[in-house]
Coordinates of all heavy atoms in Angstrom, one line a residue:
M1 N -51.0 -54.3 -7.7 CA -50.2 -53.4 -7.0 C -48.8 -53.9 -6.7 O -48.0 -53.2 -6.2 CB -50.9 -53.1 -5.7 CG -50.5 -51.8 -5.1 SD -51.6 -51.4 -3.8 CE -51.1 -49.7 -3.5
A2 N -48.6 -55.2 -7.0 CA -47.2 -55.8 -6.8 C -46.2 -55.1 -7.7 O -45.0 -55.1 -7.3 CB -47.3 -57.3 -7.1
N3 N -46.5 -54.5 -8.9 CA -45.6 -53.9 -9.8 C -45.3 -52.5 -9.5 O -44.4 -51.9 -10.0 CB -46.1 -54.1 -11.2 CG -46.0 -55.5 -11.7 OD1 -45.3 -56.3 -11.2 ND2 -46.8 -55.8 -12.7
S4 N -46.1 -51.8 -8.6 CA -45.9 -50.4 -8.4 C -44.7 -50.2 -7.4 O -44.5 -51.0 -6.5 CB -47.2 -49.8 -7.8 OG -47.4 -50.3 -6.5
K5 N -44.0 -49.1 -7.6 CA -42.9 -48.8 -6.8 C -43.4 -48.1 -5.6 O -44.3 -47.2 -5.7 CB -41.8 -48.0 -7.5 CG -41.0 -48.7 -8.5 CD -39.9 -47.9 -9.0 CE -39.1 -48.7 -10.0 NZ -37.9 -47.9 -10.5
K6 N -42.8 -48.3 -4.4 CA -43.1 -47.6 -3.2 C -42.6 -46.2 -3.3 O -41.4 -45.9 -3.6 CB -42.6 -48.3 -2.0 CG -43.1 -47.8 -0.7 CD -42.6 -48.7 0.5 CE -43.2 -48.2 1.8 NZ -42.8 -49.1 2.9
K7 N -43.4 -45.2 -3.0 CA -43.0 -43.8 -3.0 C -42.7 -43.4 -1.6 O -43.4 -43.7 -0.6 CB -44.2 -42.9 -3.5 CG -44.7 -43.3 -4.9 CD -44.0 -42.5 -5.9 CE -44.6 -43.0 -7.3 NZ -44.1 -42.3 -8.4
Y8 N -41.6 -42.7 -1.5 CA -41.1 -42.2 -0.2 C -41.3 -40.7 -0.1 O -41.1 -40.0 -1.0 CB -39.6 -42.5 0.0 CG -39.4 -44.0 0.1 CD1 -38.9 -44.7 -1.0 CD2 -39.6 -44.7 1.3 CE1 -38.6 -46.1 -0.9 CE2 -39.3 -46.1 1.4 CZ -38.9 -46.7 0.3 OH -38.6 -48.1 0.4
W9 N -41.7 -40.2 1.1 CA -41.9 -38.8 1.4 C -40.7 -38.0 1.1 O -40.7 -36.9 0.6 CB -42.4 -38.5 2.8 CG -41.4 -38.9 3.8 CD1 -41.3 -40.1 4.5 CD2 -40.4 -38.0 4.4 NE1 -40.3 -40.0 5.4 CE2 -39.7 -38.8 5.3 CE3 -40.0 -36.7 4.1 CZ2 -38.6 -38.3 6.0 CZ3 -38.9 -36.2 4.8 CH2 -38.3 -37.0 5.8
V10 N -39.5 -38.6 1.4 CA -38.3 -37.9 1.2 C -38.0 -37.5 -0.2 O -37.2 -36.5 -0.4 CB -37.1 -38.7 1.9 CG1 -36.7 -39.8 0.9 CG2 -35.9 -37.9 2.2
S11 N -38.5 -38.1 -1.2 CA -38.3 -37.8 -2.5 C -38.9 -36.4 -2.9 O -38.5 -35.8 -3.9 CB -38.8 -38.9 -3.5 OG -40.2 -38.9 -3.4
K12 N -39.9 -36.0 -2.1 CA -40.5 -34.7 -2.3 C -39.9 -33.6 -1.6 O -40.3 -32.4 -1.7 CB -42.0 -34.8 -1.9 CG -42.8 -35.8 -2.8 CD -44.2 -35.9 -2.4 CE -45.0 -36.9 -3.2 NZ -45.3 -38.1 -2.6
V13 N -38.9 -33.8 -0.8 CA -38.3 -32.8 0.0 C -37.5 -31.9 -0.9 O -36.6 -32.3 -1.6 CB -37.3 -33.4 1.1 CG1 -36.5 -32.3 1.8 CG2 -38.2 -34.1 2.1
K14 N -37.7 -30.6 -0.8 CA -37.0 -29.6 -1.5 C -36.5 -28.5 -0.5 O -37.2 -28.1 0.4 CB -37.9 -28.9 -2.6 CG -38.6 -29.8 -3.5 CD -37.6 -30.3 -4.6 CE -38.3 -31.1 -5.6 NZ -37.9 -32.5 -5.7
T15 N -35.3 -28.1 -0.6 CA -34.7 -27.2 0.3 C -33.9 -26.1 -0.5 O -33.3 -26.4 -1.5 CB -33.8 -27.8 1.4 OG1 -33.3 -26.8 2.2 CG2 -32.6 -28.5 0.7
D16 N -34.0 -24.9 0.1 CA -33.2 -23.8 -0.5 C -32.4 -23.2 0.6 O -31.9 -22.1 0.4 CB -34.1 -22.8 -1.2 CG -33.3 -21.9 -2.1 OD1 -32.3 -22.4 -2.7 OD2 -33.6 -20.7 -2.2
S17 N -32.3 -23.8 1.7 CA -31.5 -23.2 2.8 C -30.1 -23.6 2.8 O -29.3 -22.8 3.4 CB -32.2 -23.7 4.2 OG -32.0 -25.1 4.3
T18 N -29.7 -24.6 2.2 CA -28.2 -25.0 2.1 C -27.9 -25.4 0.7 O -28.7 -25.9 -0.1 CB -27.8 -26.1 3.0 OG1 -28.7 -27.2 2.8 CG2 -28.0 -25.7 4.5
H19 N -26.7 -25.1 0.3 CA -26.2 -25.4 -1.1 C -24.8 -26.1 -1.0 O -23.8 -25.5 -1.4 CB -26.1 -24.1 -1.9 CG -27.3 -23.2 -1.8 ND1 -28.5 -23.5 -2.5 CD2 -27.6 -22.1 -1.0 CE1 -29.4 -22.6 -2.2 NE2 -28.9 -21.8 -1.3
P20 N -24.8 -27.3 -0.5 CA -23.5 -28.0 -0.4 C -22.9 -28.3 -1.8 O -23.7 -28.7 -2.7 CB -23.8 -29.3 0.3 CG -25.3 -29.5 0.1 CD -25.9 -28.2 -0.1
P21 N -21.6 -28.1 -2.0 CA -21.0 -28.5 -3.2 C -21.0 -30.0 -3.5 O -21.0 -30.8 -2.5 CB -19.6 -28.0 -3.1 CG -19.3 -27.8 -1.7 CD -20.7 -27.6 -1.0
A22 N -21.0 -30.4 -4.7 CA -21.0 -31.9 -5.0 C -19.7 -32.5 -4.4 O -18.6 -32.0 -4.4 CB -20.9 -32.1 -6.5
G23 N -19.9 -33.7 -3.8 CA -18.8 -34.4 -3.2 C -18.4 -34.0 -1.8 O -17.5 -34.5 -1.2
L24 N -19.1 -33.0 -1.2 CA -18.8 -32.5 0.1 C -18.8 -33.6 1.2 O -17.9 -33.7 2.0 CB -19.7 -31.4 0.6 CG -19.5 -30.9 2.0 CD1 -18.2 -30.2 2.1 CD2 -20.6 -29.9 2.4
F25 N -19.8 -34.5 1.2 CA -19.9 -35.5 2.2 C -18.9 -36.6 2.1 O -19.0 -37.6 2.9 CB -21.4 -36.0 2.3 CG -22.3 -34.9 2.7 CD1 -23.2 -34.4 1.7 CD2 -22.3 -34.2 3.9 CE1 -24.1 -33.4 2.1 CE2 -23.1 -33.2 4.2 CZ -24.1 -32.8 3.3
T26 N -18.0 -36.6 1.1 CA -17.0 -37.6 1.0 C -15.7 -37.1 1.5 O -14.7 -37.8 1.5 CB -16.8 -38.0 -0.5 OG1 -16.4 -36.9 -1.3 CG2 -18.1 -38.6 -1.1
Q27 N -15.6 -35.9 2.0 CA -14.4 -35.3 2.5 C -14.2 -35.6 4.0 O -15.0 -36.2 4.6 CB -14.4 -33.8 2.2 CG -14.5 -33.4 0.8 CD -14.5 -32.0 0.5 OE1 -14.5 -31.1 1.5 NE2 -14.7 -31.6 -0.7
K28 N -13.1 -35.1 4.5 CA -12.8 -35.2 5.9 C -13.7 -34.4 6.8 O -14.3 -33.4 6.3 CB -11.3 -34.7 6.2 CG -10.3 -35.5 5.4 CD -9.6 -36.4 6.4 CE -8.5 -37.1 5.6 NZ -8.3 -38.4 6.1
A29 N -13.9 -34.8 8.1 CA -14.8 -34.2 9.0 C -14.6 -32.7 9.1 O -15.6 -31.9 9.0 CB -14.7 -34.8 10.4
A30 N -13.4 -32.2 9.2 CA -13.1 -30.8 9.4 C -13.5 -30.0 8.2 O -14.1 -28.9 8.3 CB -11.6 -30.6 9.7
S31 N -13.3 -30.5 7.0 CA -13.7 -29.9 5.8 C -15.2 -29.8 5.6 O -15.8 -28.7 5.2 CB -13.2 -30.6 4.5 OG -11.8 -30.6 4.6
I32 N -15.9 -30.8 6.0 CA -17.4 -30.9 6.0 C -17.9 -29.8 6.9 O -18.8 -29.0 6.5 CB -17.9 -32.3 6.3 CG1 -17.5 -33.3 5.3 CG2 -19.4 -32.2 6.4 CD1 -17.8 -34.7 5.6
A33 N -17.4 -29.8 8.2 CA -17.9 -28.9 9.2 C -17.7 -27.4 8.7 O -18.5 -26.6 8.9 CB -17.3 -29.2 10.5
R34 N -16.5 -27.2 8.2 CA -16.1 -25.8 7.8 C -17.0 -25.3 6.7 O -17.5 -24.2 6.7 CB -14.6 -25.8 7.4 CG -14.1 -24.4 7.2 CD -12.6 -24.4 6.8 NE -11.8 -25.4 7.4 CZ -11.3 -26.5 6.8 NH1 -11.5 -26.7 5.5 NH2 -10.5 -27.3 7.5
A35 N -17.2 -26.2 5.7 CA -18.0 -25.8 4.5 C -19.5 -25.6 4.9 O -20.1 -24.6 4.5 CB -18.0 -26.9 3.5
L36 N -20.0 -26.5 5.8 CA -21.5 -26.3 6.2 C -21.7 -25.1 7.1 O -22.8 -24.7 7.2 CB -22.0 -27.6 6.8 CG -22.2 -28.8 5.9 CD1 -22.6 -30.1 6.6 CD2 -23.2 -28.5 4.8
A37 N -20.6 -24.6 7.7 CA -20.8 -23.5 8.6 C -20.6 -22.2 7.8 O -21.0 -21.1 8.3 CB -19.8 -23.5 9.7
S38 N -20.1 -22.3 6.6 CA -19.8 -21.0 5.8 C -21.1 -20.4 5.3 O -22.1 -21.1 5.1 CB -18.9 -21.3 4.6 OG -19.6 -22.0 3.6
K39 N -21.1 -19.1 5.2 CA -22.3 -18.3 4.7 C -22.6 -18.7 3.2 O -23.7 -18.7 2.8 CB -22.0 -16.8 4.8 CG -22.1 -16.3 6.2 CD -23.5 -16.3 6.7 CE -23.5 -15.6 8.1 NZ -24.8 -15.8 8.7
R40 N -21.6 -19.1 2.5 CA -21.8 -19.4 1.1 C -22.6 -20.7 0.9 O -23.5 -20.8 0.1 CB -20.4 -19.6 0.4 CG -20.5 -19.6 -1.1 CD -19.2 -19.8 -1.8 NE -19.1 -21.1 -2.5 CZ -18.6 -22.2 -1.9 NH1 -18.1 -22.2 -0.7 NH2 -18.6 -23.3 -2.6
V41 N -22.4 -21.7 1.8 CA -23.1 -22.9 1.7 C -24.4 -22.9 2.5 O -25.4 -23.4 2.1 CB -22.2 -24.1 2.2 CG1 -23.0 -25.4 2.3 CG2 -21.0 -24.3 1.3
S42 N -24.3 -22.3 3.7 CA -25.5 -22.2 4.6 C -25.8 -20.7 4.9 O -25.4 -20.2 6.0 CB -25.2 -23.0 5.9 OG -24.9 -24.3 5.6
P43 N -26.5 -20.0 4.0 CA -26.7 -18.6 4.3 C -27.5 -18.3 5.5 O -27.4 -17.2 6.1 CB -27.5 -18.2 3.0 CG -27.4 -19.2 2.0 CD -27.0 -20.5 2.8
K44 N -28.3 -19.3 6.0 CA -29.0 -19.0 7.2 C -28.2 -19.4 8.5 O -28.8 -19.3 9.6 CB -30.3 -19.9 7.2 CG -31.3 -19.4 6.1 CD -32.6 -20.2 6.2 CE -33.5 -19.7 5.1 NZ -34.8 -20.5 5.1
G45 N -27.0 -19.7 8.4 CA -26.1 -20.0 9.5 C -25.8 -21.5 9.7 O -26.3 -22.3 9.0
P46 N -24.8 -21.7 10.6 CA -24.3 -23.1 10.8 C -25.4 -24.1 11.3 O -25.3 -25.3 11.0 CB -23.2 -23.0 11.9 CG -23.2 -21.6 12.3 CD -24.1 -20.8 11.5
A47 N -26.5 -23.6 11.9 CA -27.5 -24.5 12.4 C -28.2 -25.1 11.2 O -28.6 -26.3 11.2 CB -28.5 -23.8 13.3
S48 N -28.3 -24.4 10.1 CA -28.9 -24.9 8.9 C -28.0 -26.0 8.3 O -28.5 -27.0 7.8 CB -29.1 -23.7 7.9 OG -29.7 -24.2 6.7
G49 N -26.7 -25.8 8.3 CA -25.8 -26.8 7.9 C -25.8 -28.0 8.7 O -25.7 -29.2 8.2
M50 N -26.1 -27.9 10.0 CA -26.2 -29.0 10.9 C -27.5 -29.8 10.5 O -27.4 -31.1 10.5 CB -26.3 -28.6 12.4 CG -26.6 -29.7 13.3 SD -25.3 -30.9 13.5 CE -24.4 -30.2 14.8
R51 N -28.5 -29.2 10.2 CA -29.7 -29.9 9.8 C -29.5 -30.7 8.5 O -30.0 -31.8 8.3 CB -30.9 -28.9 9.6 CG -31.5 -28.4 10.9 CD -32.7 -27.6 10.8 NE -32.5 -26.4 10.1 CZ -32.2 -25.2 10.7 NH1 -32.0 -25.2 12.0 NH2 -32.0 -24.1 9.9
M52 N -28.7 -30.1 7.6 CA -28.4 -30.7 6.3 C -27.6 -32.0 6.5 O -27.8 -33.0 6.0 CB -27.7 -29.8 5.4 CG -27.2 -30.4 4.1 SD -28.5 -31.2 3.1 CE -29.1 -29.8 2.2
L53 N -26.6 -31.9 7.4 CA -25.7 -33.0 7.7 C -26.5 -34.1 8.4 O -26.4 -35.3 8.0 CB -24.6 -32.6 8.6 CG -23.6 -33.6 9.0 CD1 -23.0 -34.3 7.8 CD2 -22.5 -33.0 9.9
T54 N -27.4 -33.8 9.3 CA -28.2 -34.8 10.0 C -29.1 -35.4 9.0 O -29.3 -36.7 9.0 CB -29.0 -34.1 11.2 OG1 -28.1 -33.5 12.1 CG2 -29.9 -35.1 11.9
Y55 N -29.7 -34.6 8.1 CA -30.6 -35.2 7.1 C -29.8 -36.2 6.2 O -30.3 -37.2 5.9 CB -31.2 -34.0 6.3 CG -32.0 -34.5 5.1 CD1 -33.3 -34.8 5.3 CD2 -31.5 -34.5 3.8 CE1 -34.1 -35.2 4.2 CE2 -32.3 -34.9 2.8 CZ -33.6 -35.3 3.0 OH -34.4 -35.6 1.9
F56 N -28.6 -35.8 5.8 CA -27.8 -36.7 5.0 C -27.5 -38.0 5.6 O -27.6 -39.0 5.1 CB -26.5 -36.0 4.5 CG -25.7 -36.8 3.6 CD1 -26.0 -36.9 2.3 CD2 -24.6 -37.5 4.2 CE1 -25.2 -37.7 1.5 CE2 -23.8 -38.3 3.3 CZ -24.1 -38.4 2.0
I57 N -27.1 -37.9 6.9 CA -26.8 -39.1 7.7 C -28.0 -40.0 7.8 O -27.9 -41.2 7.5 CB -26.2 -38.8 9.1 CG1 -24.8 -38.2 8.9 CG2 -26.1 -40.1 9.9 CD1 -24.3 -37.6 10.2
N58 N -29.1 -39.4 8.1 CA -30.4 -40.2 8.3 C -30.8 -40.8 6.9 O -31.3 -41.9 6.8 CB -31.5 -39.4 8.8 CG -31.2 -39.0 10.3 OD1 -30.4 -39.7 11.0 ND2 -31.9 -38.0 10.8
R59 N -30.7 -40.0 5.9 CA -31.2 -40.4 4.5 C -30.3 -41.5 4.0 O -30.7 -42.4 3.3 CB -31.2 -39.2 3.6 CG -31.7 -39.5 2.2 CD -33.2 -39.8 2.3 NE -33.6 -40.3 1.0 CZ -33.9 -41.5 0.6 NH1 -33.7 -42.5 1.5 NH2 -34.3 -41.8 -0.6
A60 N -29.0 -41.4 4.2 CA -28.0 -42.4 3.7 C -28.2 -43.8 4.4 O -28.1 -44.8 3.8 CB -26.6 -41.9 3.8
G61 N -28.5 -43.7 5.7 CA -28.8 -44.9 6.5 C -27.8 -46.0 6.4 O -26.6 -45.8 6.6
R62 N -28.3 -47.2 6.0 CA -27.5 -48.4 6.0 C -26.6 -48.4 4.8 O -25.7 -49.2 4.7 CB -28.4 -49.6 6.0 CG -29.0 -49.9 7.3 CD -29.9 -51.1 7.2 NE -31.3 -50.6 7.0 CZ -32.3 -51.3 6.9 NH1 -32.2 -52.6 7.2 NH2 -33.5 -50.8 6.7
G63 N -26.7 -47.4 3.9 CA -25.8 -47.4 2.7 C -24.4 -46.8 3.0 O -23.5 -46.9 2.2
L64 N -24.3 -46.3 4.2 CA -23.0 -45.7 4.6 C -22.1 -46.8 5.2 O -22.6 -47.6 6.0 CB -23.1 -44.6 5.7 CG -23.7 -43.3 5.2 CD1 -23.9 -42.4 6.4 CD2 -22.8 -42.6 4.2
S65 N -20.8 -46.8 4.9 CA -19.9 -47.7 5.5 C -19.6 -47.2 7.0 O -19.9 -46.0 7.3 CB -18.5 -47.7 4.8 OG -17.9 -46.5 4.9
K66 N -19.1 -48.1 7.8 CA -18.9 -47.7 9.2 C -17.9 -46.5 9.3 O -18.1 -45.6 10.1 CB -18.4 -48.9 10.0 CG -19.5 -49.8 10.3 CD -19.0 -50.9 11.2 CE -20.1 -51.9 11.5 NZ -19.7 -52.9 12.5
S67 N -16.9 -46.6 8.5 CA -15.8 -45.5 8.5 C -16.4 -44.2 8.0 O -16.1 -43.1 8.6 CB -14.6 -45.9 7.7 OG -15.0 -46.1 6.3
R68 N -17.2 -44.2 7.0 CA -17.8 -43.0 6.5 C -18.8 -42.4 7.5 O -18.8 -41.2 7.7 CB -18.6 -43.3 5.1 CG -19.2 -42.1 4.5 CD -18.2 -41.2 3.7 NE -17.1 -40.8 4.4 CZ -16.5 -39.6 4.4 NH1 -16.9 -38.6 3.8 NH2 -15.5 -39.3 5.1
K69 N -19.6 -43.3 8.1 CA -20.6 -42.8 9.1 C -19.8 -42.2 10.3 O -20.2 -41.1 10.8 CB -21.5 -43.9 9.6 CG -22.5 -43.4 10.6 CD -23.7 -44.3 10.7 CE -24.6 -43.6 11.7 NZ -25.9 -44.2 11.7
A70 N -18.7 -42.8 10.7 CA -17.9 -42.3 11.8 C -17.3 -40.9 11.4 O -17.3 -40.0 12.3 CB -16.8 -43.2 12.2
E71 N -16.9 -40.7 10.2 CA -16.3 -39.4 9.8 C -17.4 -38.4 9.8 O -17.2 -37.2 10.2 CB -15.7 -39.6 8.4 CG -14.9 -38.4 8.0 CD -13.6 -38.3 8.7 OE1 -13.1 -39.3 9.3 OE2 -13.0 -37.2 8.8
L72 N -18.6 -38.7 9.3 CA -19.7 -37.8 9.3 C -20.2 -37.4 10.7 O -20.5 -36.3 11.0 CB -20.9 -38.4 8.5 CG -20.7 -38.5 7.0 CD1 -21.8 -39.3 6.4 CD2 -20.5 -37.1 6.4
E73 N -20.1 -38.4 11.6 CA -20.5 -38.1 13.0 C -19.4 -37.2 13.7 O -19.8 -36.3 14.5 CB -20.6 -39.4 13.8 CG -21.8 -40.2 13.5 CD -23.1 -39.6 13.9 OE1 -23.2 -38.7 14.7 OE2 -24.1 -40.0 13.3
R74 N -18.1 -37.3 13.3 CA -17.1 -36.4 13.7 C -17.4 -35.0 13.2 O -17.2 -34.0 13.9 CB -15.7 -36.8 13.3 CG -15.1 -37.9 14.2 CD -13.6 -38.1 13.9 NE -13.4 -38.8 12.6 CZ -13.4 -40.1 12.4 NH1 -13.8 -40.9 13.4 NH2 -13.1 -40.6 11.2
A75 N -17.8 -34.9 12.0 CA -18.1 -33.6 11.4 C -19.3 -33.0 12.1 O -19.4 -31.8 12.4 CB -18.5 -33.8 9.9
K76 N -20.3 -33.8 12.5 CA -21.4 -33.4 13.2 C -21.0 -32.8 14.6 O -21.6 -31.8 15.0 CB -22.4 -34.6 13.4 CG -23.8 -34.2 13.8 CD -24.7 -35.4 13.7 CE -26.0 -35.3 14.4 NZ -26.8 -36.5 14.4
A77 N -20.1 -33.5 15.3 CA -19.6 -33.0 16.6 C -18.9 -31.6 16.4 O -19.1 -30.7 17.2 CB -18.7 -34.0 17.2
L78 N -18.1 -31.5 15.4 CA -17.4 -30.3 15.1 C -18.3 -29.1 14.8 O -18.2 -28.0 15.3 CB -16.4 -30.4 14.0 CG -15.2 -31.3 14.2 CD1 -14.4 -31.5 12.9 CD2 -14.3 -30.7 15.3
L79 N -19.3 -29.4 14.0 CA -20.3 -28.4 13.6 C -21.2 -28.1 14.8 O -21.6 -26.9 15.0 CB -21.1 -29.0 12.4 CG -22.0 -28.0 11.7 CD1 -21.2 -26.8 11.2 CD2 -22.7 -28.6 10.5
S80 N -21.5 -29.0 15.6 CA -22.3 -28.8 16.8 C -21.5 -27.7 17.8 O -22.2 -26.8 18.3 CB -22.5 -30.1 17.6 OG -23.2 -29.8 18.8
K81 N -20.2 -27.9 17.9 CA -19.5 -26.9 18.7 C -19.5 -25.6 18.1 O -19.6 -24.6 18.8 CB -18.0 -27.4 18.8 CG -17.8 -28.6 19.7 CD -16.4 -29.0 19.7 CE -16.2 -30.3 20.5 NZ -14.8 -30.8 20.4
R82 N -19.4 -25.5 16.8 CA -19.5 -24.2 16.1 C -20.9 -23.6 16.2 O -21.0 -22.4 16.4 CB -19.2 -24.4 14.6 CG -18.7 -23.2 13.9 CD -18.3 -23.5 12.5 NE -17.0 -24.0 12.5 CZ -16.1 -23.6 11.6 NH1 -16.4 -22.8 10.6 NH2 -14.8 -24.1 11.6
V83 N -21.9 -24.4 16.2 CA -23.3 -23.9 16.4 C -23.4 -23.3 17.8 O -24.0 -22.2 18.0 CB -24.4 -25.0 16.1 CG1 -25.7 -24.5 16.6 CG2 -24.4 -25.3 14.6
E84 N -22.9 -24.0 18.7 CA -22.9 -23.6 20.1 C -22.2 -22.3 20.3 O -22.7 -21.3 21.0 CB -22.3 -24.7 21.1 CG -22.5 -24.4 22.5 CD -23.9 -24.3 23.0 OE1 -24.8 -25.0 22.5 OE2 -24.2 -23.5 23.9
R85 N -21.0 -22.1 19.7 CA -20.3 -20.9 19.8 C -21.1 -19.7 19.2 O -21.1 -18.6 19.7 CB -18.9 -21.0 19.1 CG -17.9 -21.7 19.9 CD -16.5 -21.5 19.3 NE -16.4 -21.9 17.9 CZ -15.9 -23.0 17.4 NH1 -15.3 -23.8 18.3 NH2 -15.8 -23.2 16.1
E86 N -21.7 -20.0 18.1 CA -22.5 -19.0 17.4 C -23.7 -18.5 18.3 O -24.0 -17.4 18.4 CB -23.1 -19.6 16.1 CG -23.8 -18.6 15.2 CD -22.8 -17.8 14.4 OE1 -21.6 -18.1 14.2 OE2 -23.2 -16.7 13.9
R87 N -24.3 -19.5 18.9 CA -25.4 -19.1 19.9 C -24.9 -18.3 21.0 O -25.6 -17.3 21.4 CB -26.1 -20.4 20.4 CG -27.0 -21.0 19.3 CD -27.8 -22.2 19.9 NE -28.6 -22.8 18.8 CZ -28.9 -24.0 18.7 NH1 -28.5 -24.9 19.7 NH2 -29.6 -24.5 17.7
E88 N -23.8 -18.7 21.6 CA -23.2 -17.9 22.7 C -22.9 -16.5 22.2 O -23.1 -15.5 23.0 CB -21.9 -18.6 23.2 CG -22.2 -19.8 24.0 CD -20.9 -20.6 24.4 OE1 -19.8 -20.1 24.0 OE2 -21.0 -21.6 25.0
K89 N -22.3 -16.4 21.0 CA -21.9 -15.1 20.5 C -23.2 -14.2 20.3 O -23.1 -13.0 20.7 CB -21.2 -15.2 19.2 CG -20.5 -14.0 18.7 CD -19.5 -14.3 17.6 CE -20.1 -14.9 16.4 NZ -19.2 -14.9 15.2
K90 N -24.3 -14.8 19.8 CA -25.5 -14.0 19.6 C -26.1 -13.6 21.0 O -26.6 -12.5 21.1 CB -26.5 -14.8 18.8 CG -26.2 -14.8 17.4 CD -27.3 -15.5 16.6 CE -27.0 -15.5 15.1 NZ -28.0 -16.2 14.3
S91 N -26.1 -14.5 21.9 CA -26.8 -14.2 23.2 C -25.8 -13.4 24.2 O -26.3 -12.8 25.1 CB -27.2 -15.4 23.9 OG -26.1 -16.2 24.4
G92 N -24.6 -13.4 23.9 CA -23.6 -12.7 24.8 C -23.3 -13.4 26.1 O -22.7 -12.8 27.0
V93 N -23.8 -14.6 26.2 CA -23.6 -15.4 27.4 C -22.5 -16.5 27.2 O -22.6 -17.2 26.2 CB -24.9 -16.0 27.9 CG1 -24.7 -16.9 29.1 CG2 -25.9 -15.0 28.1
R94 N -21.6 -16.6 28.1 CA -20.6 -17.7 28.0 C -20.8 -18.7 29.0 O -21.2 -18.4 30.2 CB -19.2 -17.1 28.2 CG -18.8 -16.1 27.1 CD -17.6 -16.7 26.5 NE -17.4 -16.2 25.2 CZ -16.5 -16.6 24.4 NH1 -15.7 -17.5 24.8 NH2 -16.4 -16.1 23.2
K95 N -20.5 -20.0 28.7 CA -20.7 -21.1 29.6 C -19.4 -21.1 30.5 O -18.3 -20.8 30.0 CB -20.8 -22.4 28.9 CG -22.2 -22.6 28.4 CD -22.3 -23.8 27.4 CE -22.1 -25.1 28.0 NZ -22.4 -26.2 27.1
A96 N -19.6 -21.4 31.8 CA -18.4 -21.5 32.7 C -17.7 -22.8 32.3 O -18.3 -23.9 32.2 CB -18.9 -21.5 34.1
A97 N -16.4 -22.7 32.2 CA -15.6 -23.9 31.9 C -15.1 -24.7 33.1 O -14.9 -24.3 34.1 CB -14.4 -23.5 31.0

């Protein structure tokens, strides 16, 4: 069993909820957030894009440089604000500022 490769569950993950273009996660935070919130990339809405971004960050793990991870976290914060606005718009309730 020493020669067998370890199989990871993540290799079996298949998704059809988001369709990010190649190289998206190498761009600036604003571009990533904008693309993942678009209907073309995330037909099910920005929350689906948020799940894809979180999945990518978790999956890349230690392979990301500190600067790349920081940029992805900035994109995550921007996308989170967009998801929150979307939820407020759907529910018709606004938070007091």
Side-chain angles (χ1 to χ4, degrees):
M1 201 166 191
N3 290 336
S4 68
K5 287 188 175 183
K6 190 172 183 181
K7 304 267 181 175
Y8 295 99
W9 65 268
V10 77
S11 66
K12 294 180 181 105
V13 172
K14 304 286 186 239
T15 181
D16 195 36
S17 63
T18 55
H19 312 281
L24 175 66
F25 296 113
T26 61
Q27 297 177 6
K28 299 257 185 214
S31 298
I32 296 170
R34 191 177 324 107
L36 287 175
S38 75
K39 287 286 185 189
R40 194 178 114 267
V41 174
S42 302
K44 293 183 180 181
S48 181
M50 175 64 92
R51 286 189 294 274
M52 174 59 82
L53 181 56
T54 301
Y55 176 79
F56 180 80
I57 292 169
N58 291 341
R59 183 67 187 105
R62 288 178 265 187
L64 289 174
S65 67
K66 285 185 180 188
S67 60
R68 181 81 306 223
K69 183 162 181 164
E71 193 70 24
L72 291 171
E73 290 294 339
R74 280 193 289 279
K76 195 171 166 183
L78 291 171
L79 193 53
S80 178
K81 288 177 187 175
R82 201 173 279 221
V83 168
E84 186 63 35
R85 281 194 306 256
E86 189 79 17
R87 285 186 182 149
E88 287 174 359
K89 193 165 59 170
K90 281 185 180 179
S91 69
V93 178
R94 292 238 158 188
K95 284 169 64 173

